[in-house]
Amino acid sequence: MNADKTESTPKVTAAKKISDTAKSVNKPANTPATSTVPKTTTKKKSNPKADKKLKASTKALALKEKALAKTANKQAKKVPKIKVVRDSFTMPKNEHMEISKIKDASKKAGLAVKKSEVLRAGLKALSALDMEQTKAILAGLDKVRTGRPKKG
């Protein structure tokens, strides 16, 4: 029966007794309702590890956004590079002079062009024609021996 009595009564722990006495000791007996001692504001303590992680994640996010912006700009500006081929060919002197005449006329019109650009423009014009017109133009060309001409 003694065991039943101890279970029904609330137990007071030693820590509770100490905290109650500490509260009563810390309270001055004759203090007014308003305290003259200035209250100190307590700042919320920040976790340095959490702050570092937040800064690192913010910085990483900013870098990722910057990288995405760069790749978007590169993709927008990126024009696929066309592989260039160097070649040599043989042609009659009078047709070679035509290239110079076209270059001079273009220069007078305010457009400086290179010899290769003149040839490429001729290729575009020729490829825009239908096959019958292309055959007629190619048949009108003089046949030229291939290879380098002899010096002399």
Side-chain angles (χ1 to χ4, degrees), residues 4 6 9 36 47 54 64 68 72 98 100 107 109 111 138 152:
D4 290 336
T6 56
T9 59
T36 57
N47 186 351
L54 180 62
K64 283 181 183 178
L68 285 174
E98 286 296 317
S100 297
K107 192 172 187 178
L111 180 66
L138 292 174

Side-chain angles (χ1 to χ4, degrees), residues 62-81:
L63 289 173
K64 283 181 183 178
E65 287 177 357
K66 192 174 182 180
L68 285 174
K70 275 187 177 181
T71 56
N73 285 340
K74 283 182 181 179
Q75 288 176 351
K77 292 179 183 179
K78 193 173 188 180
V79 177
K81 286 190 175 183

Side-chain angles (χ1 to χ4, degrees), residues 36-49:
T36 57
V37 178
K39 292 183 179 181
T40 58
T41 58
T42 57
K43 290 185 178 179
K44 188 177 180 182
K45 292 184 179 180
S46 62
N47 186 351
K49 288 183 179 178

